[in-house]
Amino acid sequence: MMFKNAVRMLTVGAALAVPVAMVPAAQAQISVGISVGFAPPALPVYAQPPLPSPGYIWTPGYWGYGDAGYYWVPGVWVQPPSAGLLWTPGYWGFEGGYYGWHRGYWGPHIGYYGGINYGFGYVGVGFEGGYWNHGSFFYNHAYSNFGGVHVTNVYEHNVVINNTVVNRASFNGPGGYQAHATAQEMAAANEHHVEPTGMQQQHFQAAAQDRSQLASVNHGRPATMAAASPAAYHQVAQQHMQSQPISAQDRTAGKSYNPNNREANQDQRISNGLRSGQMTSGEAARADRTQSNIDQQVHNDRAANGGTLTGQEKQQINGEQNKASQQIYNEKHNGNTITPNQVDNREANQQARTAQGLRSGQMTSGEAARTNANQAGVAQGVHNERTANGGALTGQQKQQANRAENRNSRQINNEKHNNEKMPKAK
């Protein structure tokens, strides 16, 4: 997808590089400043720095989007605008074929943030990190790192989801979190909200200008994942900006960066072919086997090279994907068509889930290799039985195919939620 089609502005005046509230604060929770045609990377695993002093509130890190693509805004302790206010994090939500950014805000209650488990008290609904009581903030020790700071107002309460985030997805939508706003979150949406503080906005801006925070540079592992305060990170970001500023080449590369995008596109094309009837199960089986082999090769090469591919390996993989792309095109345009039924649609759904897992970073190439190999086996079995029965499946064969797809569905779910994520480099 070309960049001009991948990003669109939905709110006049919203800045690409700084996803902060640029609209009236009361509407901040529902405003979408920008939208992107592909998902943000998975959330990195990081440790929370110690609390700088009592009165600070933790705000989680997230992937922003600017003129050089996705970049990581470090999690940070910040002082709220006034006592009694809590931070509702921003989130990416998938709608209408795009991932839209919903800005964070301060308010008396926590609102909807896509059900995303950002960790450290932001478990997907509400905030377990602490609460206000008569102008003082009480910290939940289970979600707060005090370091050597003496904190008087402390309690401890753990919930089912703790600081170890199992699902690393950083967005709401297919392949990510599926949560909908609760009644309490809907009520919070109608409250008066306050925009991010000046220190927060400087923090956002510093991250957008820090080359080491770009996903296309760090491949999902930002140089600075969290900071004790906006001022502490600002010093680091300034050093990075002076030593290695973001170049025009970085901006070009970042706009279309997605390490597993080519693999995901091929899986999506197979899904589309099955759903439209342009590809039979036999043709999908051949395409799946090809993709499984390529995925496995990418995985093996990365494993051998510490998570990266050499230039020669990239060229080789690209050549093989070009051949696979031509194969898919030929299979879809060879005149062999079918009328899709429930079995074909189920196969298509599984392919689409694998594609989404690759795009979101929840599935590695090795995991995609396994799911594609399994899908090839199911599709080939369906093809063989249809051939033996004059193009149809018996009721028993449909049940058998459905059971096989159920197993594959569980496998895909396990691969996407096993805490393995997209490797370091393409």
Side-chain angles (χ1 to χ4, degrees):
M1 178 181 291
M2 296 297 290
F3 175 63
K4 65 181 181 180
N5 294 325
V7 180
R8 59 180 180 179
M9 300 297 299
L10 297 186
T11 302
V12 176
L16 273 176
V18 190
V20 298
M22 301 290 288
V23 295
Q27 282 78 43
Q29 78 283 355
I30 58 174
S31 172
V32 180
I34 60 173
S35 60
V36 187
F38 51 95
L43 294 173
V45 178
Y46 63 92
Q48 184 186 63
L51 174 74
S53 67
Y56 281 70
I57 293 179
W58 179 253
T59 60
Y62 65 92
W63 290 103
Y65 195 90
D67 62 357
Y70 284 111
Y71 61 91
W72 179 253
V73 179
V76 66
W77 291 99
V78 300
Q79 291 179 306
S82 62
L85 295 182
L86 298 169
W87 176 249
T88 295
Y91 71 95
W92 291 96
F94 183 80
E95 185 175 358
Y98 290 86
Y99 296 87
W101 175 249
H102 301 253
R103 302 177 185 87
Y105 57 88
W106 293 96
H109 299 93
I110 299 291
Y112 177 67
Y113 52 95
I116 297 167
N117 184 1
Y118 284 111
F120 308 109
Y122 295 94
V123 297
V125 177
F127 178 52
E128 297 292 337
Y131 64 89
W132 288 99
N133 185 15
H134 294 93
S136 297
F137 191 78
F138 285 69
Y139 293 88
N140 185 351
H141 197 283
Y143 296 98
S144 302
N145 178 11
F146 297 149
V149 175
H150 176 70
V151 181
T152 303
N153 301 324
V154 180
Y155 68 101
E156 184 153 357
H157 173 66
N158 229 323
V159 294
V160 176
I161 303 175
N162 56 29
N163 289 353
T164 302
V165 183
V166 176
N167 185 351
R168 304 307 311 173
S170 59
F171 61 91
N172 179 282
Y177 288 92
Q178 304 291 327
H180 298 284
T182 65
Q184 292 81 0
E185 289 169 330
M186 293 295 290
N190 296 318
E191 296 176 329
H192 175 70
H193 300 147
V194 178
E195 295 181 1
T197 66
M199 290 296 291
Q200 283 181 285
Q201 296 194 27
Q202 291 178 21
H203 183 67
F204 304 154
Q205 292 168 350
Q209 301 301 318
D210 185 347
R211 184 177 185 273
S212 68
Q213 299 300 97
L214 297 179
S216 58
V217 172
N218 60 52
H219 307 290
R221 289 170 172 78
T224 304
M225 297 189 187
S229 69
Y233 171 63
H234 189 64
Q235 293 179 354
V236 174
Q238 280 187 320
Q239 294 174 358
H240 292 167
M241 283 184 267
Q242 292 172 1
S243 63
Q244 196 170 16
I246 297 174
S247 66
Q249 184 177 2
D250 290 329
R251 290 183 170 86
T252 300
K255 291 172 183 176
S256 59
Y257 172 77
N258 188 334
N260 292 333
N261 205 38
R262 189 79 190 272
E263 298 170 61
N265 287 345
Q266 304 287 53
D267 283 319
Q268 189 62 56
R269 291 176 65 200
I270 297 170
S271 173
N272 295 343
L274 284 163
R275 205 178 301 280
S276 68
Q278 288 181 288
M279 291 186 76
T280 66
S281 293
E283 293 169 338
R286 288 193 291 271
D288 279 334
R289 283 192 291 269
T290 299
Q291 281 305 122
S292 178
N293 291 336
I294 294 175
D295 292 337
Q296 190 62 51
Q297 182 179 343
V298 170
H299 170 77
N300 293 344
D301 289 342
R302 281 173 170 162
N305 298 327
T308 66
L309 294 179
T310 66
Q312 182 178 357
E313 288 169 341
K314 289 179 181 179
Q315 290 180 352
Q316 181 181 355
I317 294 299
N318 192 55
E320 292 181 9
Q321 287 287 22
N322 287 341
K323 294 177 184 177
S325 180
Q326 187 63 51
Q327 175 196 5
I328 294 172
Y329 178 86
N330 292 340
E331 301 281 22
K332 292 174 69 174
H333 297 86
N334 61 5
N336 293 334
T337 61
I338 61 171
T339 300
N341 59 19
Q342 185 176 2
V343 173
D344 303 297
N345 288 335
R346 187 79 190 276
E347 294 178 47
N349 288 342
Q350 306 286 54
Q351 291 292 153
R353 291 177 64 200
T354 300
Q356 188 60 45
L358 284 165
R359 285 198 182 95
S360 68
Q362 290 180 283
M363 292 184 74
T364 66
S365 293
E367 291 170 336
R370 291 191 289 271
T371 61
N372 277 325
N374 285 348
Q375 278 304 118
V378 175
Q380 189 63 54
V382 170
H383 170 75
N384 294 344
E385 288 168 346
R386 278 176 170 163
T387 301
N389 297 331
L393 293 179
T394 66
Q396 182 178 357
Q397 289 168 338
K398 288 180 181 179
Q399 291 180 354
Q400 181 179 352
N402 191 57
R403 286 193 295 270
E405 289 290 14
N406 286 341
R407 289 192 294 271
N408 285 356
S409 182
R410 287 192 295 272
Q411 181 205 2
I412 293 172
N413 184 71
N414 292 339
E415 301 282 21
K416 292 173 71 174
H417 298 89
N418 63 1
N419 212 26
E420 290 186 34
K421 64 176 184 177
M422 187 171 59
K424 185 176 180 181
K426 186 175 178 181

